Amino acid sequence: MKGIFEELHYDGNGLIPAVVQDAETGEVLMLAYMNEASLLKTLDTGETHFWSRSRQALWHKGETSGHFQKVHRIIPDCDRDTLLVQVEQTGSACHTGHRTCFYSEAHKEGAGSRPISDVLGTLTRTIHDRYVQMPEGSYTTSLFRGGLDRILKKIGEEAGEVIIGAKNRNREEIAWEVSDLVYHILVMLQEEGVSLQMIADELEKRFPKKSKED
């Protein structure tokens, strides 16, 4: 094992926690543990492998369920005792069938307290499902069937509504119209095969993180 992974600090059982995150939306999917062997297997195959503390054995995520995790990147934290594993998730990450293991809320401040990354992730997956399945009666389906010109026309209309809301200095109206615009932009991105990760990468180029010295 080379480079930064040589600096990892495993616990007394030779394990290190691995936080698994959706590479595109930022949604936290699950927490598992790796040892050196499972990390090597993950790096070698490009799919997540973990160490099962209950079975005392290596396990390949998705081997029985088909819900594999394609690894995009692995990032150690500053203390080198935790890993952030960013993946492309097939199906559900949780054995209960939920998309994420973190689906139970112990505390919620209000209806708008979900992180925007979670909301955008859910909406993006829903739009993708509509694109693949094309269910009858769905407005999203009608947009895809109408083609790019119809989608772009709606984006133009919604952009105009955002301008009107801003001119009215009405925050609720702005939030409503921007939500409509974002939805239609996400539909266009799906139609054109542009992922949110591509948008994030482009924004990162324009607005890179500042170093501590800056």
Side-chain angles (χ1 to χ4, degrees):
M1 192 177 298
K2 299 180 180 180
I4 197 171
F5 295 114
E6 293 179 333
E7 305 172 5
L8 296 179
H9 300 301
Y10 297 89
D11 66 16
N13 296 313
L15 301 177
I16 188 170
V19 179
V20 182
Q21 179 187 45
D22 188 299
E24 182 172 351
T25 68
E27 183 180 25
V28 177
L29 301 175
M30 58 182 284
L31 171 67
Y33 289 85
M34 289 183 171
N35 58 12
E36 187 172 338
S38 65
L39 178 55
L40 282 170
K41 193 74 171 176
T42 297
L43 293 171
D44 182 54
T45 64
E47 294 184 344
T48 54
H49 289 72
F50 303 105
W51 177 259
S52 171
R53 294 176 297 170
S54 59
R55 299 193 302 271
Q56 289 293 294
L58 286 174
W59 61 285
H60 180 192
K61 175 65 177 174
E63 186 172 18
T64 57
S65 65
H67 297 167
F68 297 103
Q69 294 173 339
K70 180 181 178 181
V71 177
H72 283 219
R73 61 186 65 85
I74 301 177
I75 309 168
D77 74 340
C78 56
D79 294 322
R80 304 293 190 261
D81 60 4
T82 303
L83 297 175
L84 178 64
V85 184
Q86 296 182 327
V87 305
E88 178 183 331
Q89 175 69 52
T90 299
S92 304
C94 185
H95 72 280
T96 63
H98 288 83
R99 168 75 179 176
T100 169
C101 293
F102 300 95
Y103 59 87
S104 301
E105 295 187 58
H107 174 70
K108 187 174 183 179
E109 293 182 359
S113 61
R114 281 183 67 195
I116 189 170
S117 60
D118 288 0
V119 176
L120 287 176
T122 300
L123 180 55
T124 300
R125 289 192 299 274
T126 299
I127 290 171
H128 173 74
D129 290 345
R130 298 291 188 273
Y131 181 77
V132 172
Q133 300 167 7
M134 292 290 183
E136 295 296 333
S138 165
Y139 173 67
T140 307
T141 296
S142 71
L143 286 175
F144 286 129
R145 287 179 174 170
L148 182 60
D149 284 347
R150 183 183 178 190
I151 296 171
L152 295 179
K153 180 180 178 182
K154 288 299 298 181
I155 290 175
E157 292 173 358
E158 299 302 339
E161 295 295 333
V162 170
I163 293 171
I164 293 171
K167 292 290 287 184
N168 291 338
R169 297 295 181 91
N170 186 315
R171 293 193 300 173
E172 288 75 17
E173 184 179 355
I174 292 170
W176 178 279
E177 299 300 347
V178 168
S179 297
D180 281 346
L181 178 59
V182 168
Y183 159 76
H184 286 90
I185 288 175
L186 290 176
V187 171
M188 180 271 293
L189 293 178
Q190 174 65 62
E191 175 73 14
E192 293 298 290
V194 177
S195 69
L196 286 179
Q197 186 60 53
M198 293 173 67
I199 305 300
D201 291 344
E202 182 60 34
L203 289 173
E204 179 66 19
K205 294 176 187 176
R206 301 183 188 188
F207 308 101
K209 293 181 180 179
K210 293 184 178 180
S211 67
K212 292 181 179 180
E213 289 75 22
D214 290 342

